Tab-separated table of all heavy atoms in Angstrom:
chain	number	residue	atom	x	y	z
A	379	VAL	N	158.015	131.366	110.841
A	379	VAL	CA	157.029	131.305	111.940
A	379	VAL	C	157.208	129.930	112.599
A	379	VAL	O	157.016	128.913	111.938
A	379	VAL	CB	155.574	131.536	111.477
A	379	VAL	CG1	154.631	131.393	112.607
A	379	VAL	CG2	155.443	132.854	110.754
A	380	TYR	N	157.563	129.936	113.868
A	380	TYR	CA	157.786	128.691	114.580
A	380	TYR	C	156.591	128.438	115.521
A	380	TYR	O	156.221	129.329	116.321
A	380	TYR	CB	159.075	128.799	115.425
A	380	TYR	CG	160.276	129.209	114.605
A	380	TYR	CD1	160.648	130.590	114.532
A	380	TYR	CD2	161.044	128.283	113.918
A	380	TYR	CE1	161.746	130.960	113.765
A	380	TYR	CE2	162.098	128.650	113.135
A	380	TYR	CZ	162.502	129.993	113.090
A	380	TYR	OH	163.561	130.407	112.320
A	381	ALA	N	156.022	127.256	115.428
A	381	ALA	CA	154.848	126.969	116.290
A	381	ALA	C	155.199	125.905	117.277
A	381	ALA	O	155.761	124.818	116.901
A	381	ALA	CB	153.697	126.515	115.380
A	382	PHE	N	154.848	126.100	118.543
A	382	PHE	CA	155.196	125.145	119.623
A	382	PHE	C	153.923	124.581	120.220
A	382	PHE	O	152.864	125.304	120.324
A	382	PHE	CB	155.975	125.838	120.696
A	382	PHE	CG	157.296	126.399	120.249
A	382	PHE	CD1	157.446	127.646	119.689
A	382	PHE	CD2	158.474	125.632	120.381
A	382	PHE	CE1	158.661	128.124	119.252
A	382	PHE	CE2	159.702	126.096	119.939
A	382	PHE	CZ	159.809	127.369	119.372
A	383	ARG	N	153.989	123.342	120.698
A	383	ARG	CA	152.962	122.819	121.543
A	383	ARG	C	153.616	122.161	122.739
A	383	ARG	O	154.592	121.399	122.560
A	383	ARG	CB	152.127	121.742	120.734
A	383	ARG	CG	151.022	121.104	121.576
A	383	ARG	CD	150.003	120.321	120.721
A	383	ARG	NE	150.647	119.263	119.942
A	383	ARG	CZ	150.507	119.077	118.640
A	383	ARG	NH1	149.751	119.838	117.957
A	383	ARG	NH2	151.080	118.032	118.054
A	384	ASP	N	153.178	122.510	123.908
A	384	ASP	CA	153.776	121.955	125.178
A	384	ASP	C	155.329	122.127	125.145
A	384	ASP	O	156.054	121.174	125.359
A	384	ASP	CB	153.432	120.496	125.392
A	384	ASP	CG	151.924	120.268	125.451
A	384	ASP	OD1	151.211	121.250	125.863
A	384	ASP	OD2	151.463	119.195	125.039
A	385	GLU	N	155.764	123.317	124.741
A	385	GLU	CA	157.204	123.623	124.789
A	385	GLU	C	157.993	122.881	123.785
A	385	GLU	O	159.204	122.641	123.940
A	385	GLU	CB	157.836	123.316	126.184
A	385	GLU	CG	157.229	124.079	127.364
A	385	GLU	CD	157.989	125.347	127.577
A	385	GLU	OE1	159.226	125.267	127.917
A	385	GLU	OE2	157.388	126.405	127.513
A	386	ARG	N	157.334	122.349	122.788
A	386	ARG	CA	158.016	121.572	121.759
A	386	ARG	C	157.652	122.129	120.361
A	386	ARG	O	156.505	122.320	120.071
A	386	ARG	CB	157.421	120.157	121.953
A	386	ARG	CG	157.961	119.122	121.070
A	386	ARG	CD	157.128	117.854	121.186
A	386	ARG	NE	157.736	116.915	120.219
A	386	ARG	CZ	158.277	115.798	120.564
A	386	ARG	NH1	158.238	115.329	121.816
A	386	ARG	NH2	158.828	114.965	119.685
A	387	LEU	N	158.700	122.288	119.547
A	387	LEU	CA	158.488	122.804	118.211
A	387	LEU	C	157.723	121.757	117.367
A	387	LEU	O	158.184	120.579	117.287
A	387	LEU	CB	159.865	123.115	117.510
A	387	LEU	CG	159.786	123.734	116.112
A	387	LEU	CD1	159.227	125.154	116.204
A	387	LEU	CD2	161.151	123.705	115.447
A	388	VAL	N	156.601	122.125	116.768
A	388	VAL	CA	155.832	121.164	116.033
A	388	VAL	C	155.660	121.514	114.555
A	388	VAL	O	155.399	120.661	113.697
A	388	VAL	CB	154.433	120.868	116.619
A	388	VAL	CG1	154.575	120.109	117.935
A	388	VAL	CG2	153.673	122.135	116.790
A	389	ALA	N	155.803	122.811	114.222
A	389	ALA	CA	155.624	123.180	112.817
A	389	ALA	C	156.422	124.482	112.538
A	389	ALA	O	156.594	125.307	113.452
A	389	ALA	CB	154.192	123.419	112.519
A	390	VAL	N	156.864	124.581	111.289
A	390	VAL	CA	157.677	125.796	110.928
A	390	VAL	C	157.156	126.205	109.535
A	390	VAL	O	157.187	125.398	108.568
A	390	VAL	CB	159.172	125.481	110.867
A	390	VAL	CG1	159.968	126.746	110.402
A	390	VAL	CG2	159.690	124.991	112.207
A	391	GLU	N	156.767	127.455	109.436
A	391	GLU	CA	156.359	128.001	108.162
A	391	GLU	C	157.463	128.991	107.745
A	391	GLU	O	157.871	129.840	108.577
A	391	GLU	CB	155.044	128.749	108.286
A	391	GLU	CG	153.892	127.960	108.798
A	391	GLU	CD	152.677	128.832	109.243
A	391	GLU	OE1	152.904	130.096	109.394
A	391	GLU	OE2	151.647	128.263	109.424
Side-chain angles (χ1 to χ4, degrees):
V379 178
Y380 306 94
F382 297 88
R383 180 167 58 230
D384 301 332
E385 299 269 301
R386 181 190 178 117
L387 184 70
V388 292
V390 179
E391 303 166 344

